Amino acid sequence: MDYLNKFSLEGKVALVTGASYGIGFAIAKDMAKAGATVVFNDIKQELVDKGLAAYKEEGIEAHGYVCDVTDEEAVNAMVATIEKEVGVIDILVNNAGIIKRIPMCEMTAAEFRQVIDVDLNAPFIVAKAVIPSMIKKGHGKIINICSMMSELGRETVSAYAAAKGGLKMLTRNICSEYGEFNIQCNGIGPGYIATPQTAPLRETQADGSRHPFDQFIISKTPAARWGEPEDLSAPAVFLASDASNFINGHVLYVDGGILAYIGKQPQ
């Protein structure tokens, strides 16, 4: 059907930051299957090499670059190299991120700043680097990986929640400033996703029981499971495609229903 063409990414160049593995890899993989040429970065050559091997195993010819996304000069150089070697970036997914689970009063200001730098400043830096060429080309898609913590707070994640709340508002502001240039900036707010980053929270205990946090998340999620990275890739393809051309400044929460649910009544 012709309407399915609106979901195609054929001929587009997609930069997904931190996409050597996990959520970023899943998103980039499905964007490639939708027709996009995938470009990704990571902070170390060994991670880029690992990513390139994983894409090759999936039959995808990806382009990998070593770049620290918190370094504005390095980001500008990377974007210039991508434009020269691959093409102008049509789609940006700001996926790279970190979390430090430390009670607020035990967290140093330096630790707080590091999370803000990676999770909020870096998306600003990379978006700023790609927007001028998107304006010249007449279109662009920016997808920021936000979080349920863009809306909720929880103990030990003060820096992460502050960064993701800021990223939600950066998403809306990019929409406000650059929507007139046919640039759509939206966010995806993952719920709890089964990735290497969350693996410690899902470890089986010595007595064979589920980790207490694992039990908590299952009880709070109407879908009664953790999400998989692949649960995020189809929404990302949608937001990167022409099917979403009149959607701007929106955060799509892919959380199994957590934000809609108050929780079960105690027995």
Side-chain angles (χ1 to χ4, degrees):
M1 298 181 184
D2 288 344
Y3 79 88
L4 291 177
N5 292 331
K6 293 182 179 180
F7 295 87
S8 172
L9 303 182
E10 200 68 42
K12 303 293 177 66
V13 175
L15 168 60
V16 185
T17 65
S20 296
Y21 59 92
I23 289 171
F25 178 79
I27 288 173
K29 180 175 68 172
D30 275 11
M31 285 188 172
K33 290 178 180 178
T37 298
V38 167
V39 181
F40 72 99
N41 81 291
D42 221 310
I43 198 165
K44 296 179 182 177
Q45 185 65 55
E46 62 193 73
L47 292 173
V48 171
D49 292 341
K50 178 182 175 182
L52 288 170
Y55 286 109
K56 187 175 182 180
E57 193 173 321
E58 294 285 341
I60 297 167
E61 185 180 346
H63 304 263
Y65 296 86
V66 177
C67 182
D68 178 353
V69 287
T70 68
D71 183 335
E72 186 169 14
E73 187 175 323
V75 168
N76 290 338
M78 177 183 71
V79 169
T81 301
I82 292 168
E83 290 186 355
K84 181 180 178 180
E85 295 180 353
V86 186
V88 171
I89 294 162
D90 301 284
I91 301 157
L92 166 64
V93 182
N94 278 313
N95 164 75
I98 61 171
I99 189 169
K100 289 182 180 292
R101 297 182 180 90
I102 305 171
M104 181 176 163
C105 288
E106 297 174 19
M107 185 176 229
T108 66
E111 289 169 329
F112 188 91
R113 288 191 193 101
Q114 184 185 9
V115 176
I116 298 294
D117 207 21
V118 177
D119 292 358
L120 180 57
N121 291 341
F124 164 78
I125 289 168
V126 185
K128 191 160 84 78
V130 304
I131 285 172
S133 291
M134 288 180 172
I135 291 173
K136 289 179 184 177
K137 199 166 185 177
H139 69 82
K141 300 280 187 175
I142 298 173
I143 302 168
N144 292 324
I145 303 301
C146 298
S147 169
M148 288 187 314
M149 297 299 121
S150 300
E151 301 288 342
L152 299 173
R154 188 175 63 76
E155 62 278 3
T156 78
V157 293
S158 58
Y160 185 79
K164 293 301 185 177
L167 187 57
K168 175 183 71 175
M169 294 311 301
L170 178 63
T171 299
R172 292 176 176 174
N173 208 77
I174 292 172
C175 155
S176 301
E177 285 200 58
Y178 299 104
E180 66 179 293
F181 299 104
N182 194 28
I183 294 172
Q184 291 84 49
C185 181
N186 293 291
I188 292 178
Y192 283 90
I193 308 296
T195 66
Q197 195 177 51
T198 60
L201 303 176
R202 293 177 283 108
E203 289 179 348
T204 302
Q205 303 301 284
D207 62 1
S209 65
R210 303 180 87 146
H211 189 290
F213 190 81
D214 187 12
Q215 295 178 42
F216 168 68
I217 292 305
I218 296 301
S219 71
K220 292 290 290 182
T221 307
R225 67 175 178 88
W226 288 66
E228 298 293 335
E230 289 72 21
D231 289 318
L232 302 167
S233 55
V237 169
F238 164 64
L239 289 176
S241 74
D242 288 344
S244 63
N245 281 350
F246 205 57
I247 299 172
N248 211 352
H250 176 72
V251 179
L252 174 59
Y253 290 98
V254 185
D255 64 356
I258 290 180
L259 288 174
Y261 186 45
I262 196 171
K264 293 182 179 179
Q265 180 177 337
Q267 299 297 314

